[in-house]
């Protein structure tokens, strides 16, 4: 009996994992080598400045700032809006005195996150 329950649960877990890992992210997006390098640099900066302490990506992170997963494609936010915050900070968002090339990298990273977050977006 225990074995039967184990097999049922294990099969369900495998099935669930396959769905999550194949449908959760889009894998047919292609980036050039330069874009990929830029995205990786942006990701590193995102970690270095600990942006996650205030912002969520894919639902994980702090709640002081707005979630950033879909900020890039959000018609009320988008690239120019995000750049303004990265350049000057906000009322509560700190000004990190980022160089323009670092802002470019962070934007590339956030654009990438937005593009890959297919199931996260509300239809
Ligand atoms: C101390 C908390 C904090 C940290 C750390 C922080 N932010 Fe913010 N951020 C905020 C808050 C709060 C806002 C909303 C505007 C405001 O109140 O200043 C914001 C706004 C933004 C926005 C505008 C998007 C929107 O929906 O309003 C972007 C983009 C952004 N932050 C990116 C970043 C990035 C990238 C980093 C890391 C380099 C970062 N933030 C670090 C708190 C933070």
């Amino acid at each position: 009996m225990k074995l039967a329950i184990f097999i049922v649960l294990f099969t369900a877990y495998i099935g669930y994992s396959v769905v999550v890992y194949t449908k959760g992210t889009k894998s047919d997006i292609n980036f050039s080598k330069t874009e990929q390098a830029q995205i990786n640099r942006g990701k590193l900066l995102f970690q270095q400045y600990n942006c996650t302490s205030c912002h969520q990506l894919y639902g994980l992170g702090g709640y002081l700032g707005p979630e950033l997963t879909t900020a890039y494609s959000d018609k009320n936010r988008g690239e120019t809006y995000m750049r303004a915050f990265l350049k000057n900070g906000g009322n509560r968002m700190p000004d990190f005195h980022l160089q323009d090339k670092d802002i470019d990298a962070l934007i590339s990273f956030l654009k990438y996150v937005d593009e890959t977050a297919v199931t996260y977006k509300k239809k």
Side-chain angles (χ1 to χ4, degrees), residues 42 45-55 63-68 71 74 76-79 81-86 89-94 96 98 106-107 109-110:
L45 288 164
F46 202 85
Q47 289 166 352
Q48 274 169 6
Y49 286 99
N50 208 7
C51 312
T52 314
S53 62
C54 294
H55 294 282
Y63 286 90
L64 185 62
E67 69 84 30
L68 295 177
D74 188 334
N76 295 318
R77 297 187 281 173
E79 180 167 340
Y81 180 85
M82 294 201 289
R83 276 185 189 278
F85 278 99
L86 290 174
N91 287 332
R92 291 165 301 156
M93 161 96 180
F96 292 102
L98 295 163
L106 281 163
I107 293 288
F109 171 62
L110 291 172

Side-chain angles (χ1 to χ4, degrees), residues 25-38:
T25 48
K26 210 171 174 180
S27 55
D28 59 347
I29 312 170
N30 288 311
F31 296 101
S32 68
K33 278 238 154 59
T34 20
E35 279 173 318
Q36 194 61 60
Q38 180 89 329

Side-chain angles (χ1 to χ4, degrees), residues 102-117:
D102 289 348
I103 294 178
D104 289 345
L106 281 163
I107 293 288
S108 294
F109 171 62
L110 291 172
K111 181 179 177 212
Y112 163 82
V113 169
D114 181 281
E115 279 173 5
T116 52

Side-chain angles (χ1 to χ4, degrees), residues 2-3 12-13 15 18 21 23 39-41 43 59 64 68 70 85-86 95-96 108 120:
K2 269 185 186 161
L3 185 68
Y13 164 75
V18 167
Y21 285 103
K23 291 221 190 303
I39 291 164
N40 290 343
R41 236 174 58 76
K43 184 178 184 181
L64 185 62
L68 295 177
T70 59
F85 278 99
L86 290 174
D95 181 355
F96 292 102
S108 294
Y120 191 85

